[in-house]
Amino acid sequence: MTETPPAHLFDQATRVTAGDSRWQGRTSPDYWAFVGPFGGVTAATVLRALIQHPQIAGDPLAVTVNYCAPIAEGPFELDVRLVKANRSSQHWCVELSQSDADAATLATAVFAERRPSWSHQPAVKPDAPPFDQVKRHPDAGMSWTKQYDFRFVEGRPEFGSRSDAPRSAYSRLWISDSKPRKLDCLSVLSMSDAFFGRAFHVRGELIPFGTVSLTTYFHVSREELAAEDITHVLATADAKVFNRSYQDQHGELWSPSGQLLATTTQIAYFKA
């Protein structure tokens, strides 16, 4: 008898089950950050609940996740609601809460039917050596970073080497799951939050930091992403301003073949 191999840690961490009126999930110690779960895996958990919902139609187009409060270790519930649907799109709202408390995470998502159309991609994939030719970045110490393989082409973080002059906020790197996993929209969404805080790069040190709001736009359908048959993306991240405890961050995720898979933007808190 052939044993079923254990699920990938990412799939275990984002697993949800349907209940009478809400979906249930549980935090994973494998994807823990400073004061709670890694934001990318929380976003992916929300998206998994939507994809598995019996009323879902189409592909994810945009997902916005607002991190209202830290999520404690343990179980949580997801209240998933279809807000509005028309012939080509659906608008959803998801609230994550624990123990009947107020929402710790509030997300909205748009799903759409991606029909054949005229296509044009003026954006050009950044230059980079192949994934296998770039040295892996040493583990950063948190459990969630151990689940990813970061290979910096430009903008490698230099923690513990603070200088008075701010450094560049730009990074270009390959990102993959530490244990390779074929990319899908869940892992793309999670990887869109997998960049180290831009403030870390600019200051050359780790400081208190947390994502407040993350929005990711998908530029391919689930079918197109599956056809890419890839386990890593080429990603870029940058910031435009750091001011009064908050910074922006924006990024791109590319397939090795040159397809722009997703773009992302967020606002994050820092203390420095």
Side-chain angles (χ1 to χ4, degrees):
M1 181 178 178
T2 303
E3 293 185 2
T4 303
H8 193 282
L9 286 178
F10 179 78
D11 295 299
Q12 295 180 37
T14 58
R15 180 180 294 131
V16 291
T17 56
D20 293 337
S21 60
R22 293 189 173 193
W23 296 69
Q24 285 83 40
R26 188 177 186 87
T27 61
S28 168
D30 297 309
Y31 287 86
W32 205 254
F34 291 108
V35 295
F38 161 52
V41 86
T42 299
T45 302
V46 167
L47 183 56
R48 186 182 290 277
L50 289 167
I51 287 174
Q52 294 182 2
H53 198 284
Q55 290 180 268
I56 205 69
D59 294 298
L61 194 68
V63 177
T64 295
V65 183
N66 297 311
Y67 301 92
C68 308
I71 301 171
E73 182 179 358
F76 54 79
E77 292 188 327
L78 297 165
D79 181 12
V80 183
R81 303 190 304 276
L82 176 60
V83 178
K84 179 69 175 179
N86 56 39
R87 293 179 60 186
S88 60
S89 65
Q90 295 180 331
H91 297 259
W92 293 82
C93 180
V94 182
E95 291 187 20
L96 184 155
S97 60
Q98 294 178 294
S99 303
D100 297 323
D102 293 337
T105 301
L106 176 63
T108 59
V110 181
F111 276 65
E113 298 287 348
R114 301 191 72 113
R115 301 184 177 93
S117 72
W118 173 79
S119 298
H120 175 51
Q121 181 183 287
V124 178
K125 174 176 168 283
D127 290 332
F131 176 83
D132 294 337
Q133 295 180 17
V134 181
K135 184 178 179 181
R136 181 173 182 171
H137 186 68
D139 178 59
M142 288 180 288
S143 65
W144 79 267
T145 62
K146 296 178 182 178
Q147 309 310 327
Y148 288 104
D149 184 340
F150 301 101
R151 303 191 179 203
F152 284 87
V153 177
E154 181 182 355
R156 180 186 298 271
E158 298 179 18
F159 304 142
S161 59
R162 183 184 174 187
S163 64
D164 292 334
R167 298 168 179 164
S168 172
Y170 179 80
S171 289
R172 180 166 20 117
L173 69 157
W174 291 103
I175 305 176
S176 170
D177 291 289
S178 290
K179 178 183 178 182
R181 176 186 181 277
K182 182 175 178 178
L183 261 69
D184 56 16
C185 59
L186 301 175
S187 50
V188 167
L189 178 57
S190 185
M191 288 177 183
S192 75
D193 190 42
F195 304 106
F196 298 149
R198 296 299 91 192
F200 301 165
H201 290 258
V202 172
R203 292 178 59 87
E205 64 177 342
L206 291 173
I207 57 177
F209 177 92
T211 300
V212 177
S213 183
L214 164 75
T215 296
T216 298
Y217 300 106
F218 295 87
H219 303 302
V220 293
S221 67
R222 284 183 277 177
E223 180 183 11
E224 290 171 313
L225 183 56
E228 289 280 349
D229 194 19
I230 54 176
T231 59
H232 52 268
V233 296
L234 179 63
T236 64
D238 206 348
K240 295 183 181 298
V241 64
F242 304 82
N243 186 50
R244 299 183 69 88
S245 302
Y246 291 92
Q247 63 144 92
D248 73 321
Q249 179 173 288
H250 48 91
E252 300 174 349
L253 285 80
W254 294 81
S255 73
S257 68
Q259 179 77 38
L260 183 57
L261 305 177
T263 49
T264 184
T265 185
Q266 68 173 256
I267 191 80
Y269 163 83
F270 66 87
K271 185 177 181 180

